Amino acid sequence: RARSMSTDTQGENRWRSGLARRLILGVVLFSSMITLVLTAFQLYLEYRQDVRGIEAELVQIRQVHLGAIAQSLWATNTTELELQLQGLVQIPNIRHVAVYDGDRLWGEAGRADAKRGIERRYPIRYLHRGVNRQIGTLIVDASLDAIYAKLLNRALVILASNALKTFLVAGFMLVFIHWLVTRHLLAVAGFLRRMTPGTRSAPFALARNPGRAPD
């Protein structure tokens, strides 16, 4: 019973010691910092990838659709122009498009209600009798709201995943350090506590195989 009480006391002292508390606190804080940094970096990479996707869509609008819009505007075919603009707002993340000639609005589609977005203005040109004339401007508004909403949902998943992996590594470090170092220090401390002046005791030895070189 006395031996059991002594073992329980050593176990409690093991976790109440200032060294153990500082080690656990340090590992947890460092792991949390690493988790936040990794999460922020991963979210930034995903954000840049999504923005590059929107930029590619805007380039495609300029390369593929601008010529047909110029043809409809030159022919003042507003019906065809409206159909073309309606088709543009079907592209993901494109919220609003409009065609102006100066202050005159020739047609628009969608709603410019994005809180965060990218705006592009493309001059509409038409080649007539060897002269490349600017006959209007195509304004395209792309929304980033869907990207931010997706990143918010992804942040929770990535944070939980990174936190789990980081804390598993931190837990392994604690167990590994305890097995290699802490348990031997506790054994030395226990041996010193049991020593009394004027009494002889058996030589102390650590519960491990001796290494080739001192550590």
Side-chain angles (χ1 to χ4, degrees), residues 169-207:
V169 173
F172 173 77
M173 290 174 56
L174 286 174
V175 173
F176 191 66
I177 292 174
H178 172 72
W179 177 257
L180 290 182
V181 180
T182 311
R183 69 188 183 99
H184 300 303
L185 295 179
L186 291 171
V188 173
F191 176 77
L192 294 176
R193 280 195 301 268
R194 291 191 298 271
M195 290 182 62
T196 57
T199 60
R200 295 182 178 181
S201 60
F204 176 75
L206 294 176

mmCIF file of all heavy atoms in Angstrom, residues 169-207:
data_model
loop_
_atom_site.group_PDB
_atom_site.id
_atom_site.type_symbol
_atom_site.label_atom_id
_atom_site.label_comp_id
_atom_site.label_asym_id
_atom_site.label_seq_id
_atom_site.Cartn_x
_atom_site.Cartn_y
_atom_site.Cartn_z
ATOM 1 N N VAL A 169 1.596 15.037 -33.756
ATOM 2 C CA VAL A 169 3.056 15.138 -33.718
ATOM 3 C C VAL A 169 3.526 15.654 -32.360
ATOM 4 O O VAL A 169 4.509 15.158 -31.786
ATOM 5 C CB VAL A 169 3.561 16.052 -34.855
ATOM 6 C CG1 VAL A 169 5.051 16.300 -34.732
ATOM 7 C CG2 VAL A 169 3.245 15.427 -36.207
ATOM 8 N N ALA A 170 2.813 16.668 -31.823
ATOM 9 C CA ALA A 170 3.186 17.209 -30.522
ATOM 10 C C ALA A 170 3.055 16.146 -29.425
ATOM 11 O O ALA A 170 3.920 16.025 -28.543
ATOM 12 C CB ALA A 170 2.308 18.405 -30.190
ATOM 13 N N GLY A 171 1.980 15.350 -29.482
ATOM 14 C CA GLY A 171 1.820 14.289 -28.508
ATOM 15 C C GLY A 171 2.922 13.241 -28.601
ATOM 16 O O GLY A 171 3.440 12.769 -27.588
ATOM 17 N N PHE A 172 3.292 12.913 -29.840
ATOM 18 C CA PHE A 172 4.395 11.974 -30.017
ATOM 19 C C PHE A 172 5.690 12.547 -29.449
ATOM 20 O O PHE A 172 6.484 11.819 -28.824
ATOM 21 C CB PHE A 172 4.571 11.648 -31.498
ATOM 22 C CG PHE A 172 5.784 10.822 -31.795
ATOM 23 C CD1 PHE A 172 5.797 9.467 -31.548
ATOM 24 C CD2 PHE A 172 6.931 11.417 -32.312
ATOM 25 C CE1 PHE A 172 6.917 8.704 -31.813
ATOM 26 C CE2 PHE A 172 8.057 10.661 -32.577
ATOM 27 C CZ PHE A 172 8.050 9.299 -32.332
ATOM 28 N N MET A 173 5.932 13.841 -29.653
ATOM 29 C CA MET A 173 7.133 14.472 -29.109
ATOM 30 C C MET A 173 7.159 14.381 -27.588
ATOM 31 O O MET A 173 8.199 14.094 -26.984
ATOM 32 C CB MET A 173 7.211 15.932 -29.565
ATOM 33 C CG MET A 173 7.512 16.122 -31.036
ATOM 34 S SD MET A 173 7.401 17.858 -31.526
ATOM 35 C CE MET A 173 8.560 18.598 -30.378
ATOM 36 N N LEU A 174 6.007 14.648 -26.950
ATOM 37 C CA LEU A 174 5.950 14.578 -25.492
ATOM 38 C C LEU A 174 6.262 13.167 -24.995
ATOM 39 O O LEU A 174 7.034 12.977 -24.050
ATOM 40 C CB LEU A 174 4.573 15.012 -25.006
ATOM 41 C CG LEU A 174 4.263 16.507 -25.065
ATOM 42 C CD1 LEU A 174 2.822 16.762 -24.681
ATOM 43 C CD2 LEU A 174 5.190 17.279 -24.138
ATOM 44 N N VAL A 175 5.645 12.159 -25.629
ATOM 45 C CA VAL A 175 5.892 10.780 -25.219
ATOM 46 C C VAL A 175 7.351 10.403 -25.464
ATOM 47 O O VAL A 175 8.006 9.757 -24.630
ATOM 48 C CB VAL A 175 4.941 9.829 -25.976
ATOM 49 C CG1 VAL A 175 5.291 8.370 -25.693
ATOM 50 C CG2 VAL A 175 3.501 10.108 -25.580
ATOM 51 N N PHE A 176 7.866 10.829 -26.613
ATOM 52 C CA PHE A 176 9.246 10.495 -26.970
ATOM 53 C C PHE A 176 10.237 11.133 -25.992
ATOM 54 O O PHE A 176 11.178 10.483 -25.521
ATOM 55 C CB PHE A 176 9.513 10.981 -28.398
ATOM 56 C CG PHE A 176 10.793 10.477 -28.981
ATOM 57 C CD1 PHE A 176 10.975 9.126 -29.238
ATOM 58 C CD2 PHE A 176 11.818 11.359 -29.276
ATOM 59 C CE1 PHE A 176 12.157 8.660 -29.781
ATOM 60 C CE2 PHE A 176 13.006 10.892 -29.817
ATOM 61 C CZ PHE A 176 13.174 9.541 -30.075
ATOM 62 N N ILE A 177 10.016 12.428 -25.675
ATOM 63 C CA ILE A 177 10.905 13.105 -24.730
ATOM 64 C C ILE A 177 10.799 12.483 -23.345
ATOM 65 O O ILE A 177 11.800 12.323 -22.640
ATOM 66 C CB ILE A 177 10.591 14.608 -24.703
ATOM 67 C CG1 ILE A 177 10.985 15.260 -26.030
ATOM 68 C CG2 ILE A 177 11.324 15.312 -23.556
ATOM 69 C CD1 ILE A 177 10.575 16.714 -26.158
ATOM 70 N N HIS A 178 9.578 12.127 -22.941
ATOM 71 C CA HIS A 178 9.418 11.495 -21.631
ATOM 72 C C HIS A 178 10.162 10.157 -21.576
ATOM 73 O O HIS A 178 10.821 9.840 -20.579
ATOM 74 C CB HIS A 178 7.937 11.278 -21.331
ATOM 75 C CG HIS A 178 7.702 10.461 -20.098
ATOM 76 N ND1 HIS A 178 7.923 10.950 -18.826
ATOM 77 C CD2 HIS A 178 7.272 9.180 -19.940
ATOM 78 C CE1 HIS A 178 7.652 10.010 -17.943
ATOM 79 N NE2 HIS A 178 7.251 8.925 -18.585
ATOM 80 N N TRP A 179 10.080 9.383 -22.654
ATOM 81 C CA TRP A 179 10.719 8.077 -22.655
ATOM 82 C C TRP A 179 12.242 8.199 -22.637
ATOM 83 O O TRP A 179 12.933 7.434 -21.958
ATOM 84 C CB TRP A 179 10.271 7.279 -23.878
ATOM 85 C CG TRP A 179 10.926 5.938 -23.995
ATOM 86 C CD1 TRP A 179 11.941 5.566 -24.818
ATOM 87 C CD2 TRP A 179 10.612 4.776 -23.212
ATOM 88 N NE1 TRP A 179 12.286 4.271 -24.629
ATOM 89 C CE2 TRP A 179 11.484 3.744 -23.638
ATOM 90 C CE3 TRP A 179 9.682 4.509 -22.207
ATOM 91 C CZ2 TRP A 179 11.445 2.472 -23.094
ATOM 92 C CZ3 TRP A 179 9.656 3.243 -21.668
ATOM 93 C CH2 TRP A 179 10.519 2.241 -22.104
ATOM 94 N N LEU A 180 12.779 9.178 -23.363
ATOM 95 C CA LEU A 180 14.231 9.294 -23.460
ATOM 96 C C LEU A 180 14.853 10.089 -22.315
ATOM 97 O O LEU A 180 15.980 9.799 -21.907
ATOM 98 C CB LEU A 180 14.613 9.960 -24.789
ATOM 99 C CG LEU A 180 14.390 9.144 -26.058
ATOM 100 C CD1 LEU A 180 14.856 9.926 -27.272
ATOM 101 C CD2 LEU A 180 15.125 7.811 -25.979
ATOM 102 N N VAL A 181 14.132 11.114 -21.803
ATOM 103 C CA VAL A 181 14.755 12.041 -20.863
ATOM 104 C C VAL A 181 14.002 12.133 -19.539
ATOM 105 O O VAL A 181 14.557 11.872 -18.466
ATOM 106 C CB VAL A 181 14.872 13.452 -21.504
ATOM 107 C CG1 VAL A 181 15.518 14.416 -20.522
ATOM 108 C CG2 VAL A 181 15.658 13.389 -22.800
ATOM 109 N N THR A 182 12.719 12.504 -19.614
ATOM 110 C CA THR A 182 12.005 12.890 -18.393
ATOM 111 C C THR A 182 11.921 11.763 -17.383
ATOM 112 O O THR A 182 12.107 11.977 -16.179
ATOM 113 C CB THR A 182 10.596 13.374 -18.759
ATOM 114 O OG1 THR A 182 10.672 14.324 -19.815
ATOM 115 C CG2 THR A 182 9.920 14.016 -17.559
ATOM 116 N N ARG A 183 11.643 10.555 -17.840
ATOM 117 C CA ARG A 183 11.482 9.457 -16.886
ATOM 118 C C ARG A 183 12.794 9.170 -16.154
ATOM 119 O O ARG A 183 12.795 8.790 -14.974
ATOM 120 C CB ARG A 183 10.964 8.208 -17.585
ATOM 121 C CG ARG A 183 11.945 7.543 -18.537
ATOM 122 C CD ARG A 183 11.263 6.428 -19.322
ATOM 123 N NE ARG A 183 12.200 5.734 -20.201
ATOM 124 C CZ ARG A 183 12.765 4.571 -19.890
ATOM 125 N NH1 ARG A 183 12.504 3.997 -18.739
ATOM 126 N NH2 ARG A 183 13.591 3.977 -20.744
ATOM 127 N N HIS A 184 13.917 9.382 -16.816
ATOM 128 C CA HIS A 184 15.202 9.163 -16.157
ATOM 129 C C HIS A 184 15.493 10.278 -15.139
ATOM 130 O O HIS A 184 16.052 10.018 -14.072
ATOM 131 C CB HIS A 184 16.309 9.084 -17.200
ATOM 132 C CG HIS A 184 16.123 7.970 -18.176
ATOM 133 N ND1 HIS A 184 15.996 6.656 -17.796
ATOM 134 C CD2 HIS A 184 16.006 7.977 -19.533
ATOM 135 C CE1 HIS A 184 15.835 5.890 -18.873
ATOM 136 N NE2 HIS A 184 15.832 6.674 -19.942
ATOM 137 N N LEU A 185 15.103 11.518 -15.490
ATOM 138 C CA LEU A 185 15.276 12.611 -14.528
ATOM 139 C C LEU A 185 14.408 12.378 -13.297
ATOM 140 O O LEU A 185 14.824 12.664 -12.169
ATOM 141 C CB LEU A 185 14.920 13.941 -15.190
ATOM 142 C CG LEU A 185 15.830 14.391 -16.339
ATOM 143 C CD1 LEU A 185 15.336 15.721 -16.911
ATOM 144 C CD2 LEU A 185 17.277 14.515 -15.888
ATOM 145 N N LEU A 186 13.185 11.878 -13.502
ATOM 146 C CA LEU A 186 12.312 11.579 -12.365
ATOM 147 C C LEU A 186 12.908 10.462 -11.494
ATOM 148 O O LEU A 186 12.814 10.492 -10.260
ATOM 149 C CB LEU A 186 10.925 11.175 -12.865
ATOM 150 C CG LEU A 186 10.102 12.291 -13.512
ATOM 151 C CD1 LEU A 186 8.849 11.707 -14.163
ATOM 152 C CD2 LEU A 186 9.714 13.333 -12.483
ATOM 153 N N ALA A 187 13.524 9.477 -12.139
ATOM 154 C CA ALA A 187 14.147 8.398 -11.380
ATOM 155 C C ALA A 187 15.314 8.915 -10.547
ATOM 156 O O ALA A 187 15.495 8.535 -9.375
ATOM 157 C CB ALA A 187 14.607 7.289 -12.329
ATOM 158 N N VAL A 188 16.143 9.799 -11.152
ATOM 159 C CA VAL A 188 17.254 10.401 -10.414
ATOM 160 C C VAL A 188 16.730 11.221 -9.237
ATOM 161 O O VAL A 188 17.253 11.140 -8.107
ATOM 162 C CB VAL A 188 18.114 11.257 -11.352
ATOM 163 C CG1 VAL A 188 19.163 12.032 -10.564
ATOM 164 C CG2 VAL A 188 18.786 10.396 -12.403
ATOM 165 N N ALA A 189 15.689 12.030 -9.487
ATOM 166 C CA ALA A 189 15.128 12.861 -8.423
ATOM 167 C C ALA A 189 14.571 12.006 -7.295
ATOM 168 O O ALA A 189 14.744 12.315 -6.099
ATOM 169 C CB ALA A 189 14.046 13.769 -8.997
ATOM 170 N N GLY A 190 13.885 10.897 -7.649
ATOM 171 C CA GLY A 190 13.355 10.013 -6.616
ATOM 172 C C GLY A 190 14.463 9.367 -5.797
ATOM 173 O O GLY A 190 14.356 9.224 -4.574
ATOM 174 N N PHE A 191 15.546 8.989 -6.468
ATOM 175 C CA PHE A 191 16.674 8.387 -5.760
ATOM 176 C C PHE A 191 17.302 9.378 -4.787
ATOM 177 O O PHE A 191 17.637 9.028 -3.641
ATOM 178 C CB PHE A 191 17.701 7.910 -6.782
ATOM 179 C CG PHE A 191 18.965 7.364 -6.169
ATOM 180 C CD1 PHE A 191 18.994 6.095 -5.614
ATOM 181 C CD2 PHE A 191 20.123 8.126 -6.131
ATOM 182 C CE1 PHE A 191 20.155 5.590 -5.045
ATOM 183 C CE2 PHE A 191 21.285 7.633 -5.568
ATOM 184 C CZ PHE A 191 21.307 6.357 -5.018
ATOM 185 N N LEU A 192 17.424 10.635 -5.239
ATOM 186 C CA LEU A 192 18.025 11.652 -4.368
ATOM 187 C C LEU A 192 17.117 11.964 -3.180
ATOM 188 O O LEU A 192 17.604 12.239 -2.071
ATOM 189 C CB LEU A 192 18.303 12.922 -5.165
ATOM 190 C CG LEU A 192 19.374 12.792 -6.263
ATOM 191 C CD1 LEU A 192 19.493 14.099 -7.050
ATOM 192 C CD2 LEU A 192 20.725 12.414 -5.665
ATOM 193 N N ARG A 193 15.799 11.937 -3.389
ATOM 194 C CA ARG A 193 14.891 12.202 -2.271
ATOM 195 C C ARG A 193 14.980 11.100 -1.199
ATOM 196 O O ARG A 193 14.789 11.342 -0.018
ATOM 197 C CB ARG A 193 13.448 12.325 -2.785
ATOM 198 C CG ARG A 193 13.114 13.677 -3.388
ATOM 199 C CD ARG A 193 11.603 13.859 -3.535
ATOM 200 N NE ARG A 193 11.026 12.808 -4.380
ATOM 201 C CZ ARG A 193 10.857 12.923 -5.691
ATOM 202 N NH1 ARG A 193 11.243 14.040 -6.298
ATOM 203 N NH2 ARG A 193 10.307 11.949 -6.387
ATOM 204 N N ARG A 194 15.245 9.871 -1.625
ATOM 205 C CA ARG A 194 15.301 8.761 -0.682
ATOM 206 C C ARG A 194 16.631 8.694 0.068
ATOM 207 O O ARG A 194 16.745 7.976 1.053
ATOM 208 C CB ARG A 194 15.057 7.442 -1.431
ATOM 209 C CG ARG A 194 13.623 7.282 -1.952
ATOM 210 C CD ARG A 194 13.391 5.870 -2.438
ATOM 211 N NE ARG A 194 14.278 5.518 -3.562
ATOM 212 C CZ ARG A 194 13.987 5.719 -4.838
ATOM 213 N NH1 ARG A 194 12.829 6.307 -5.168
ATOM 214 N NH2 ARG A 194 14.834 5.353 -5.794
ATOM 215 N N MET A 195 17.627 9.407 -0.428
ATOM 216 C CA MET A 195 18.927 9.367 0.235
ATOM 217 C C MET A 195 18.893 10.151 1.541
ATOM 218 O O MET A 195 18.264 11.204 1.632
ATOM 219 C CB MET A 195 20.015 9.963 -0.683
ATOM 220 C CG MET A 195 20.355 9.106 -1.886
ATOM 221 S SD MET A 195 21.685 9.836 -2.872
ATOM 222 C CE MET A 195 23.011 9.830 -1.662
ATOM 223 N N THR A 196 19.566 9.624 2.549
ATOM 224 C CA THR A 196 19.687 10.304 3.838
ATOM 225 C C THR A 196 21.156 10.333 4.229
ATOM 226 O O THR A 196 21.910 9.387 3.921
ATOM 227 C CB THR A 196 18.877 9.575 4.922
ATOM 228 O OG1 THR A 196 19.331 8.216 5.007
ATOM 229 C CG2 THR A 196 17.386 9.606 4.614
ATOM 230 N N PRO A 197 21.589 11.399 4.901
ATOM 231 C CA PRO A 197 23.009 11.483 5.287
ATOM 232 C C PRO A 197 23.403 10.332 6.207
ATOM 233 O O PRO A 197 22.644 9.912 7.077
ATOM 234 C CB PRO A 197 23.092 12.829 6.007
ATOM 235 C CG PRO A 197 21.923 13.598 5.517
ATOM 236 C CD PRO A 197 20.846 12.590 5.264
ATOM 237 N N GLY A 198 24.597 9.803 6.001
ATOM 238 C CA GLY A 198 25.134 8.768 6.878
ATOM 239 C C GLY A 198 24.688 7.371 6.567
ATOM 240 O O GLY A 198 25.023 6.440 7.313
ATOM 241 N N THR A 199 23.882 7.199 5.540
ATOM 242 C CA THR A 199 23.440 5.851 5.193
ATOM 243 C C THR A 199 24.011 5.462 3.845
ATOM 244 O O THR A 199 24.207 6.303 2.966
ATOM 245 C CB THR A 199 21.899 5.776 5.133
ATOM 246 O OG1 THR A 199 21.416 6.692 4.146
ATOM 247 C CG2 THR A 199 21.290 6.120 6.475
ATOM 248 N N ARG A 200 24.271 4.185 3.722
ATOM 249 C CA ARG A 200 24.775 3.671 2.469
ATOM 250 C C ARG A 200 23.618 3.157 1.603
ATOM 251 O O ARG A 200 22.653 2.613 2.119
ATOM 252 C CB ARG A 200 25.776 2.548 2.705
ATOM 253 C CG ARG A 200 27.047 2.995 3.404
ATOM 254 C CD ARG A 200 27.996 1.826 3.551
ATOM 255 N NE ARG A 200 29.239 2.246 4.174
ATOM 256 C CZ ARG A 200 30.267 1.441 4.404
ATOM 257 N NH1 ARG A 200 30.166 0.149 4.063
ATOM 258 N NH2 ARG A 200 31.367 1.898 4.980
ATOM 259 N N SER A 201 23.750 3.372 0.322
ATOM 260 C CA SER A 201 22.721 2.884 -0.600
ATOM 261 C C SER A 201 23.391 2.213 -1.781
ATOM 262 O O SER A 201 24.564 2.455 -2.074
ATOM 263 C CB SER A 201 21.825 4.035 -1.082
ATOM 264 O OG SER A 201 22.605 5.002 -1.752
ATOM 265 N N ALA A 202 22.621 1.392 -2.439
ATOM 266 C CA ALA A 202 23.158 0.709 -3.614
ATOM 267 C C ALA A 202 23.418 1.723 -4.728
ATOM 268 O O ALA A 202 22.741 2.750 -4.829
ATOM 269 C CB ALA A 202 22.164 -0.350 -4.082
ATOM 270 N N PRO A 203 24.412 1.466 -5.561
ATOM 271 C CA PRO A 203 24.668 2.385 -6.680
ATOM 272 C C PRO A 203 23.422 2.553 -7.546
ATOM 273 O O PRO A 203 22.687 1.592 -7.789
ATOM 274 C CB PRO A 203 25.804 1.694 -7.440
ATOM 275 C CG PRO A 203 26.453 0.786 -6.447
ATOM 276 C CD PRO A 203 25.344 0.330 -5.529
ATOM 277 N N PHE A 204 23.243 3.762 -7.996
ATOM 278 C CA PHE A 204 22.057 4.060 -8.812
ATOM 279 C C PHE A 204 22.354 3.784 -10.284
ATOM 280 O O PHE A 204 23.439 4.130 -10.787
ATOM 281 C CB PHE A 204 21.644 5.519 -8.624
ATOM 282 C CG PHE A 204 20.488 5.930 -9.495
ATOM 283 C CD1 PHE A 204 19.192 5.523 -9.199
ATOM 284 C CD2 PHE A 204 20.690 6.699 -10.636
ATOM 285 C CE1 PHE A 204 18.136 5.884 -10.005
ATOM 286 C CE2 PHE A 204 19.636 7.059 -11.433
ATOM 287 C CZ PHE A 204 18.353 6.655 -11.120
ATOM 288 N N ALA A 205 21.411 3.195 -10.965
ATOM 289 C CA ALA A 205 21.556 2.918 -12.403
ATOM 290 C C ALA A 205 20.236 3.220 -13.094
ATOM 291 O O ALA A 205 19.159 2.938 -12.559
ATOM 292 C CB ALA A 205 21.949 1.464 -12.626
ATOM 293 N N LEU A 206 20.334 3.797 -14.264
ATOM 294 C CA LEU A 206 19.127 4.098 -15.049
ATOM 295 C C LEU A 206 18.573 2.834 -15.687
ATOM 296 O O LEU A 206 19.335 1.909 -16.017
ATOM 297 C CB LEU A 206 19.437 5.131 -16.134
ATOM 298 C CG LEU A 206 19.829 6.533 -15.649
ATOM 299 C CD1 LEU A 206 20.193 7.420 -16.831
ATOM 300 C CD2 LEU A 206 18.722 7.164 -14.826
ATOM 301 N N ALA A 207 17.289 2.817 -15.872
ATOM 302 C CA ALA A 207 16.614 1.644 -16.465
ATOM 303 C C ALA A 207 16.696 1.708 -17.982
ATOM 304 O O ALA A 207 15.700 1.864 -18.697
ATOM 305 C CB ALA A 207 15.163 1.595 -16.007
#
